Amino acid sequence: MTRTPKDPNEYCLTAFNSMQANLYRWGKPETSVRSLTRIFYVNVHDSGKDNIGLISEEAIQYKIKGIAKKTSEDHYTRPQAQAYMIYDNPDKYLSDYEVFREIFFDARRTITVAKSENDLFSNDTTSDDGTNFIITTRSDKLYQKHGVKLFRYSGKGAWKNRIFTPVSYDDMMFNADALLNEERFIV
């Protein structure tokens, strides 16, 4: 059975329309913040991924050995945190679809990491019902904090036949507004 590829634009439009429709609830004490921020996160996650061609050193070993279950695709820009930024700045992000679309597609970027590394990154963010959203380390410093070395890969087919070149953390792409937004969650 051949599956039709997902159209990420459909998920983006759904997120945009849903967040616009729920904006009136943002900031009201009776509203579950998490229920609103998950609209963005779930649509980003479900829309597929845009791997930027980077992989961690630990993930390389699993890929070469064919142990795919030990690796994960890390949405390294923290889409749920970006949802706060969108709701808090609706004049910018919910009034212009193209601006929203840029943030959405930025959030789809992933890096291949070991599942254990992804767990470390997840533990850097805590949230109860979404009201108390806390980040220990800004996204652009998270891989450095945990000593995760990155490589760019090239080639196709079997992972053992690919070429891996060490890269700096500067090869990770971030939206400047999203990074500034994270500052308010850092404790």
Side-chain angles (χ1 to χ4, degrees):
M1 178 173 132
T2 304
R3 289 187 171 181
T4 305
K6 294 179 181 181
D7 180 357
N9 290 295
E10 280 296 313
Y11 291 84
C12 182
L13 184 59
T14 296
F16 181 73
N17 288 335
S18 298
M19 292 177 82
Q20 277 185 325
N22 282 287
L23 179 60
Y24 77 95
R25 299 175 55 219
W26 186 250
K28 296 196 175 183
E30 67 275 9
T31 300
S32 166
V33 172
R34 188 173 192 274
S35 72
L36 296 181
T37 59
R38 295 290 291 180
I39 293 170
F40 186 74
Y41 177 81
V42 168
N43 278 284
V44 165
H45 185 272
D46 290 355
S47 71
K49 60 188 180 300
D50 289 330
N51 189 295
I52 63 170
L54 299 182
I55 187 169
S56 73
E57 185 174 41
E58 187 175 339
I60 291 171
Q61 303 311 311
Y62 291 126
K63 289 290 192 180
I64 289 173
K65 293 175 184 172
I67 311 173
K69 291 183 178 182
K70 294 272 189 176
T71 63
S72 179
E73 296 296 318
D74 177 35
H75 287 88
Y76 66 93
T77 62
R78 290 193 171 115
Q80 198 160 351
Q82 291 174 350
Y84 284 83
M85 176 182 73
I86 293 166
Y87 280 121
D88 285 344
N89 299 284
D91 292 344
K92 180 173 184 178
Y93 298 107
L94 292 176
S95 65
D96 184 335
Y97 179 72
E98 289 307 314
V99 172
F100 179 88
R101 187 178 184 284
E102 183 179 326
I103 289 293
F104 186 90
F105 277 80
D106 283 350
R108 295 180 74 242
R109 294 181 185 144
T110 63
I111 295 173
T112 305
V113 298
K115 284 196 177 186
S116 58
E117 293 168 328
N118 200 19
D119 290 343
L120 278 175
F121 304 150
S122 294
N123 290 335
D124 197 78
T125 302
T126 56
S127 176
D128 47 25
D129 65 354
T131 306
N132 297 312
F133 191 76
I134 299 168
I135 296 172
T136 307
T137 310
R138 211 168 81 164
S139 292
D140 59 336
K141 304 294 182 206
L142 190 59
Y143 280 57
Q144 290 167 282
K145 173 185 175 181
H146 293 291
V148 175
K149 294 179 182 170
L150 294 175
F151 293 77
R152 181 161 307 285
Y153 58 87
S154 58
K156 295 190 185 234
W159 282 91
K160 65 182 178 182
N161 298 330
R162 297 190 187 192
I163 297 168
F164 301 97
T165 308
V167 296
S168 79
Y169 297 112
D170 293 336
D171 282 37
M172 299 169 76
M173 299 173 277
F174 290 96
N175 177 289
D177 288 345
L179 288 177
L180 287 174
N181 173 64
E182 286 185 8
E183 293 283 336
R184 69 185 180 153
F185 299 114
I186 294 177
V187 292

